[in-house]
Amino acid sequence: MRGFCCVVLWIFPIFSSTIAPTKRELCRKVPEKCQTDQNVPLCIEDRMKTCENKDPRGPVIYDPKYFSTQISSEETVDTQRGYLIHISDEALQRSRNGLGDANLIVSLINETFFRVSSSLHNKKGKDSSKPNTILHGQTVLGVWLGKNEVQNLSQPVQIRFNDTKQSPNGTCVYWHLEDNGKGNWRTDGCNTTIDNGDFVCSCNHLSFFAVLINPEIPSASHIDALNYISYVGSAISIAFTALMIAIFLCQRRKQCEHSVIIHVQLSGSLFLLHISFLCSVWFSGHTDLSVCQALGLLLHWCLLATFTWTAIEGFHIYLLVVRVFNIYIKRYMLKLSLVGWGVPTITVIICGVTKVYGRYTFYMGEENSTITPLCWISTQIVSYITVNGYLGLVMLFNMVILGVVLVKMHKVRSQTLQIKDHRRRAWKEWVSLLGLSCVLGVPWVLAFSTYGPLSLPALYVFTILNSLQGLLIFLWFLTLTCQTRKVDYSSSKGTIQVSFNSNDEIVTTR
């Protein structure tokens, strides 16, 4: 018996040391450690329930992305990170079971860790895939109070998001974790109000919170009208660009002017663009995803080709207007063609390898009904870089060229002494300006003005002008043709005319 007791006394210290509780991780370390987890929100949510909030730095902790303090009664806490959090007495009682103080933990987490598995569920139970952005630098606010679940509150917790000048059109949402481990942004249980320019989210539970900034999206009736304009305008552009190409091929001379060839190349890219756009809309519901991916690639290629030939138009005008002399380039049109069709080809090949094409559906209108499914780029960052960014660079270059042309036209106009032809000359200059604006793609600039208070009028103007761009270029092509035939007549009348349809120089006649 004595030996047995000795054995027990010898084993017990080892056993007790084995089952001794390990030191819990600090709560402020949880978000950082969970970043390597496959599901970051779920990892943070689970570990925040068991982590240790005591910190040697004191009861109140301020980190760039972490805030913690103790609460004993109902109060409003300033996190000094652009957020004010009002904790109701009911929330405080539930979090601590009526005993002692409760620890309030606030963590700022990057929005990229919150991958939406399906569309946002709104209050009516419908889905929305609008291109929302998150307020405050794409940061999500995680809020925890004590170790108990805080939900179904009759006295809601209020979170104030300061400095909301970027947009008054926002919605308070929270991250809902589903049974499969994935999640969605949801609005049920949260009300959104605006107080002195700040968003105030009143929610009956605690979770991950954010304010989604919604773009100004037209109603369904406007979307239907814009779709109708797009389809009819695209059909008209297809007809007139095809007619222009046919006229060019029938009347083509051995030595054709470079400007006309460039116009025809631009018309060819527009012809393909409008056809691919209509096909991408009509076949977006095809059961075979590879068909939609191919159409998305084709649409992307045609759009980039249109932008590239628009930039080439600006480059050609630069040679005629700015350099004027010594502008001969060996195999000029061959090199322009390699750039005009080669750059888009290389770009879409790279994008195709990364598999960024697929179905892209717009959910618009007050009822969030599906308006326009499209075979397009399914990755937003790729669309921003290859479409928005590329278009911005092209438009910046062409706007500078257009400004130089205006200065040149003004100088030529100031040299004339014939006052009697002032109105006629001014009319011709305006026609030239409008034609140049069309071939330089100035209507595409409106794509950057479809947000804000004038977004709806700008959207209508953008849709009309760009869907009819093929018709406008056809009219400019006819104007150049007639202008060439009337040069002698204009010279005899002593008028001033600026023509951009020469291979080597600007033709200025008086």
Side-chain angles (χ1 to χ4, degrees):
M1 184 68 180
R2 183 177 180 181
F4 175 78
C5 292
C6 293
V7 172
V8 170
L9 291 175
W10 176 69
I11 294 177
F12 180 78
I14 301 176
F15 178 75
S16 60
S17 63
T18 303
I19 64 173
T22 58
K23 186 178 181 180
R24 293 186 295 174
E25 63 180 336
L26 294 176
C27 292
R28 64 183 177 88
K29 296 290 187 180
V30 169
E32 180 181 355
K33 292 183 178 180
C34 283
Q35 289 184 9
T36 57
D37 195 86
Q38 188 174 4
N39 192 327
V40 175
L42 181 61
C43 174
I44 295 177
E45 187 74 30
D46 291 339
R47 293 193 182 186
M48 280 296 181
K49 298 176 182 179
T50 59
C51 65
E52 178 60 59
N53 193 50
K54 294 181 180 180
D55 197 282
R57 293 179 292 179
V60 181
I61 304 172
Y62 293 95
D63 272 351
K65 295 185 178 182
Y66 181 86
F67 170 84
S68 176
T69 187
Q70 292 183 345
I71 297 179
S72 58
S73 61
E74 179 176 350
E75 65 175 291
T76 300
V77 179
D78 186 358
T79 64
Q80 299 184 9
R81 297 294 181 272
Y83 309 94
L84 294 175
I85 303 176
H86 177 78
I87 301 298
S88 64
D89 184 66
E90 181 185 6
L92 186 63
Q93 293 296 328
R94 291 195 184 186
S95 66
R96 64 183 183 179
N97 291 330
L99 302 174
D101 297 340
N103 292 318
L104 175 65
I105 300 175
V106 179
S107 181
L108 308 185
I109 305 166
N110 194 292
E111 176 262 344
T112 56
F113 295 120
F114 295 80
R115 299 182 180 90
V116 178
S117 60
S118 60
S119 302
L120 169 66
H121 294 273
N122 62 14
K123 294 179 181 180
K124 298 180 181 181
K126 297 187 178 181
D127 293 336
S128 171
S129 60
K130 301 175 184 177
N132 302 311
T133 57
I134 287 185
L135 186 70
H136 282 191
Q138 297 183 339
T139 300
V140 176
L141 188 70
V143 182
W144 298 270
L145 184 65
K147 301 300 180 183
N148 298 329
E149 292 285 344
V150 178
Q151 56 187 355
N152 299 324
L153 298 173
S154 59
Q155 300 175 0
V157 174
Q158 292 186 342
I159 305 173
R160 178 183 289 265
F161 291 78
N162 297 331
D163 191 18
T164 60
K165 297 179 181 178
Q166 57 176 292
S167 175
N169 189 24
T171 305
C172 295
V173 293
Y174 74 96
W175 186 252
H176 174 70
L177 290 170
E178 300 175 348
D179 295 336
N180 58 5
K182 299 181 179 180
N184 281 295
W185 291 117
R186 298 186 60 170
T187 60
D188 53 297
C190 287
N191 293 323
T192 306
T193 57
I194 298 180
D195 182 22
N196 294 326
D198 297 343
F199 282 110
V200 179
C201 302
S202 301
C203 300
N204 63 2
H205 60 279
L206 294 180
S207 180
F208 299 98
F209 298 99
V211 174
L212 294 185
I213 302 301
N214 309 313
E216 297 291 338
I217 296 178
S219 62
S221 60
H222 287 296
I223 296 299
D224 290 336
L226 290 169
N227 283 340
Y228 180 79
I229 294 172
S230 299
Y231 302 150
V232 174
S234 293
I236 294 174
S237 289
I238 290 172
F240 280 95
T241 50
L243 179 60
M244 177 178 172
I245 295 172
I247 294 174
F248 171 77
L249 294 176
C250 293
Q251 299 183 353
R252 184 174 182 180
R253 297 167 296 188
K254 187 175 181 180
Q255 295 294 331
C256 193
E257 294 172 345
H258 290 162
S259 295
V260 175
I261 298 177
I262 294 174
H263 294 338
V264 173
Q265 298 271 26
L266 176 59
S267 297
S269 64
L270 282 171
F271 176 78
L272 296 174
L273 174 62
H274 289 290
I275 289 181
S276 62
F277 167 70
L278 294 179
C279 291
S280 295
V281 174
W282 293 338
F283 295 100
S284 59
H286 199 280
T287 55
D288 190 355
L289 182 60
S290 61
V291 173
C292 194
Q293 290 174 339
L295 289 173
L297 184 147
L298 178 62
L299 178 60
H300 190 204
W301 179 78
C302 294
L303 185 63
L304 293 180
T306 300
F307 292 163
T308 306
W309 279 107
T310 301
I312 290 175
E313 289 274 9
F315 173 75
H316 184 67
I317 294 176
Y318 161 78
L319 293 181
L320 298 178
V321 176
V322 179
R323 293 188 59 178
V324 182
F325 303 105
N326 299 322
I327 62 174
Y328 173 77
I329 299 176
K330 187 178 180 180
R331 296 182 178 178
Y332 180 56
M333 285 309 306
L334 176 61
K335 293 178 180 178
L336 291 184
S337 298
L338 289 176
V339 174
W341 303 110
V343 171
T345 302
I346 295 174
T347 304
V348 299
I349 288 176
I350 296 174
C351 294
V353 171
T354 57
K355 298 181 179 180
V356 299
Y357 300 110
R359 293 187 181 93
Y360 187 88
T361 304
F362 299 92
Y363 294 89
M364 296 183 177
E366 295 178 356
E367 298 297 326
N368 292 324
S369 56
T370 303
I371 299 298
T372 306
L374 184 69
C375 295
W376 182 234
I377 303 172
S378 57
T379 305
Q380 197 173 48
I381 185 64
V382 176
S383 178
Y384 282 151
I385 295 174
T386 62
V387 178
N388 300 45
Y390 189 45
L391 176 61
L393 293 176
V394 170
M395 289 299 101
L396 179 62
F397 173 71
N398 282 2
M399 292 299 289
V400 172
I401 296 300
L402 185 61
V404 173
V405 170
L406 290 175
V407 172
K408 292 284 185 179
M409 292 175 65
H410 178 73
K411 289 183 178 179
V412 172
R413 181 180 178 184
S414 63
Q415 294 173 1
T416 182
L417 299 175
Q418 297 187 13
I419 306 300
K420 61 181 181 179
D421 292 332
H422 173 75
R423 290 185 178 179
R424 182 181 177 186
R425 188 168 57 251
W427 169 251
K428 290 184 177 181
E429 289 177 356
W430 275 107
V431 171
S432 298
L433 177 61
L434 291 176
L436 289 174
S437 299
C438 181
V439 298
L440 292 177
V442 172
W444 287 102
V445 176
L446 293 172
F448 300 102
S449 62
T450 54
Y451 297 93
L454 299 177
S455 59
L456 186 59
L459 196 56
Y460 271 98
V461 176
F462 170 81
T463 304
I464 294 172
L465 292 181
N466 284 286
S467 63
L468 295 175
Q469 191 177 8
L471 172 62
L472 298 176
I473 291 182
F474 173 78
L475 296 176
W476 176 243
F477 173 77
L478 292 182
T479 302
L480 289 181
T481 304
C482 296
Q483 192 179 56
T484 302
R485 296 176 180 178
K486 293 182 179 180
V487 168
D488 294 336
Y489 177 79
S490 300
S491 300
S492 64
K493 291 294 183 179
T495 59
I496 289 182
Q497 189 169 329
V498 181
S499 175
F500 298 93
N501 60 345
S502 173
N503 290 340
D504 300 314
E505 59 182 2
I506 301 177
V507 177
T508 305
T509 61
R510 292 187 184 181

